[in-house]
Amino acid sequence: FPSHDIDKIAVLTGRNIRVETDMKRFRKVDKQSQVADISLLRQLTGWSPEVSITEGLERLLEFEGAR
């Protein structure tokens, strides 16, 4: 998760989150983070998300009973 998403999870759960990265476990081909680009999907189908990342996280935490 990008750090701003980790911050959102921390706020929503009321917990401090510390992310540790062990660079010895990464291979040269591994990416440290990935971000979805839905522009092609939107262009081809007209689809766009109706739920924000924050709302999606809130729903997930509510469903899992983590809030």
Side-chain angles (χ1 to χ4, degrees):
F1 287 101
S3 63
H4 62 277
D5 290 338
I6 297 295
D7 294 340
K8 287 179 188 178
I9 295 169
V11 168
L12 292 171
T13 60
R15 298 179 181 183
N16 291 324
I17 299 174
R18 188 177 89 220
V19 177
E20 296 180 9
T21 302
D22 183 353
M23 294 308 293
K24 292 180 277 186
R25 298 188 67 178
F26 278 89
R27 300 169 298 176
K28 289 182 181 182
V29 297
D30 290 333
K31 295 181 180 181
Q32 289 190 31
S33 66
Q34 294 183 315
V35 178
D37 178 1
I38 64 164
S39 59
L40 181 59
L41 180 63
R42 181 180 288 134
Q43 178 185 355
L44 294 174
T45 67
W47 179 86
S48 63
E50 296 177 1
V51 175
S52 69
I53 185 71
T54 301
E55 184 179 348
L57 289 169
E58 288 172 340
R59 290 181 183 186
L60 174 65
L61 293 170
E62 195 72 35
F63 179 80
E64 294 294 334
R67 288 191 73 193

